Amino acid sequence: MENVVELKNVTKKFKGFSVKNIDLQVKQGFVTGFIGANGAGKSTTIKMMMNLLKPDAGEVKLFGLDYKTHEKAIKERIGFVYDGNIFFEGLNLKDIKRIVAPAYKQWDDTLFYQYVEQFKLPLNKAIKTFSKGMQMKASLAIALSHHAELIIMDEPTAGLDPIFRRELLDLLQELMIEGNRTIFFSTHITTDLNRIADYIAFMQNGELVFNQSIHDVAENYALVKGGLNLLDSDTEKAFVHVHRASTGFEALTDNIKAVKNTFGDTVVFERASLEDIMYYLKGGIHHV
Amino acid sequence: MFNLIRRDVILQKRQLLIFLPVILFFIIIDKHPAWTFLIASIFIPFNTYAYDEKVETNILLNSLPYTRTEIIASRYLGAIVYMLLAIGVTSLALFAFNKPFTMIDIAIGSSLFLLFAAFTFPLFYILKPGHITMVVMISFFLLAAIGPAIVLFLAEHLTAITDFIVNLSVPVLYTGATLVIMVVYVISWVTTTVIYQRKAF
Amino acid sequence: MQIIISNSSKEPIYEQITNQIKSSILAGELQEGTAIPSMRNLAKDLQISVITTKRAYEELEKAGFIYSIVGKGSFVAEQNLEVIREKKLKVIEEQLGAVITNSREIGLSLDELKQLLKILYEE
């Protein structure tokens, strides 16, 4: 089984907002970073993966299984971390563990206490007294203690300081040594992804713009800079977005080859960061 | 599913400390035993709703390997389990204080509790979070205040029904009442399950 | 095995890895049959994504520098160093030919060229 998560033509409509025709595959054994601006539909998509929301149309499959018939088997294999605390605020970590642990057949107490020690988490203090970073670590300790094959995280790094973000990435990287593990996480801090992501899924206005390996992204997308005199209605077709200034233009292309054919050496190419791509595509894809 | 039922105790360790004094209070002020049984039964299941109305709790429960049907089933079965426990504890307490009570008191207390649960549980999943405690309070007082009045009203005006009931033999009356309560409880259970299946978090 | 990658380099990271492993093998630092780290361990150590080391290993395999055995890991493949040396020499000859042509065009003498080469070589 190559795809751990498979969304086929998934659509969910809300008042004034909808997620449309999502076709998304998450590859086993890799880290997929899920990016997009706030309100692009990332959380909605994650909720459909977790069966917290049911799509109006389309198909959601995890591990090749359907939620209708295999809900428990699927969730048994998922570790989840959400943005914000979902555990009973007044309880301490020990009690939360006592509630969560029996839900999983594969719960590993030794592993749990190992993470508790590694993260320096207090067992007897109410969760509501934890800092944001500690709450996140607590969620993570719980998510990782039942040998989950798929770890789904919704904005795990939001609101965390750089030091903790780094620690989290280190930890995730360690988790990936085990080859059958898959991580899917959404973030709008794209720098988190440079180090760890293998695939990037990018959402914009409720649609999936692309889901490509970081190599494909690097090979397809680039920033192109050059003089304004080079631009005309024909040559501009190679770009997804063009920004003009009196000093020249800066543009994003998703087809480096075509730009090279059109402009040759008259323009300068630069690697487009994920942030560049997000920024230039914010109006959606429209070849100018 | 047993874990889901057990969860309530872990959640309410502290509240349980208030449980005994409250029961003792009702016993000491000589409230009717049936009333004490009712209060005792309501304690745990309805306290749980203070937690369960939160979106976060629903997200947690639904992300764990439980189905929605199980989550609701744990509510309904848990209510019965905790009712039985509460009846046990209350009986012991009444016994310790040398207060007389009969099986009929237990029957009335638990019937009222089950009916109350059957009417309020579906509401919890229809209403927006934040209103639930209020609704429980209001409906409880309504039930306590108007309930007897309605029964009296029915007894006076619908003589056909009351005559019919009065004429029933005791075993038939009890079996009938039990059946009615069971049916109401199951209907409520099914309704809540259907509502909960459709919820989005 | 020592690998140093630069995030600011224009050269893609997987290429930096393949080039450095290649030179270690050609320089004889990595002997035939030596086990090299698994791609997942290497990714963790270099703090880069798994797909990057995966690509590097795939290219090395294609070029015959390493081979992988499922469940055991990756190893340095047998190198026909003579053949590789010969090929490299041929490339060097061609490149030097171009250098000489360019030098004659601007009137650079052999001694001057040797001087330049010496400085660059020792850099």
Side-chain angles (χ1 to χ4, degrees), chain B:
Chain B
M1 188 143 67
F2 168 72
N3 299 315
L4 277 172
I5 296 175
R6 201 183 62 131
R7 169 187 77 112
D8 298 358
V9 180
I10 300 175
L11 268 177
Q12 299 183 40
K13 272 192 299 193
R14 266 184 227 116
Q15 282 91 324
L16 283 177
L17 293 177
I18 323 170
F19 180 69
L20 266 183
V22 169
I23 294 177
L24 293 181
F25 173 74
F26 278 104
I27 293 175
I28 290 165
I29 63 166
D30 254 342
K31 264 281 175 193
H32 194 280
W35 179 259
T36 313
F37 282 119
L38 173 62
I39 293 288
S41 306
I42 283 178
F43 210 84
I44 293 182
F46 282 83
N47 244 324
T48 308
Y49 278 101
Y51 291 95
D52 280 7
E53 67 173 323
K54 289 202 179 104
V55 180
E56 288 84 3
T57 304
N58 283 300
I59 290 180
L60 172 65
L61 293 181
N62 281 285
S63 299
L64 292 171
Y66 295 122
T67 61
R68 295 190 179 196
T69 316
E70 282 179 326
I71 293 170
I72 295 306
S74 79
R75 284 281 124 268
Y76 279 81
L77 291 177
I80 294 175
V81 171
Y82 288 116
M83 179 190 83
L84 294 176
L85 285 177
I87 287 172
V89 172
T90 313
S91 306
L92 282 178
L94 284 166
F95 197 68
F97 279 79
N98 226 352
K99 305 271 181 187
F101 65 98
T102 59
M103 282 308 283
I104 296 177
D105 295 327
I106 294 181
I108 294 176
S110 50
S111 308
L112 282 176
F113 165 72
L114 291 175
L115 284 177
F116 182 56
F119 282 113
T120 44
F121 281 6
L123 290 179
F124 290 136
Y125 297 99
I126 297 172
L127 295 164
K128 284 215 175 85
H131 300 47
I132 288 168
T133 327
M134 191 79 132
V135 171
V136 175
M137 301 269 275
I138 292 173
S139 47
F140 184 74
F141 284 116
L142 276 181
L143 185 79
I146 307 174
I150 292 175
V151 173
L152 282 179
F153 177 83
L154 288 176
E156 273 174 35
H157 291 86
L158 296 164
T159 40
I161 296 173
T162 42
D163 283 348
F164 172 71
I165 293 173
V166 169
N167 286 329
L168 289 172
S169 65
V170 172
V172 173
L173 185 66
Y174 281 1
T175 327
T178 313
L179 272 176
V180 167
I181 289 166
M182 271 171 62
V183 167
V184 170
Y185 201 67
V186 168
I187 290 174
S188 160
W189 186 340
V190 172
T191 315
T192 308
T193 306
V194 171
I195 295 169
Y196 198 63
Q197 290 289 357
R198 291 178 187 183
K199 266 190 101 97
F201 304 108

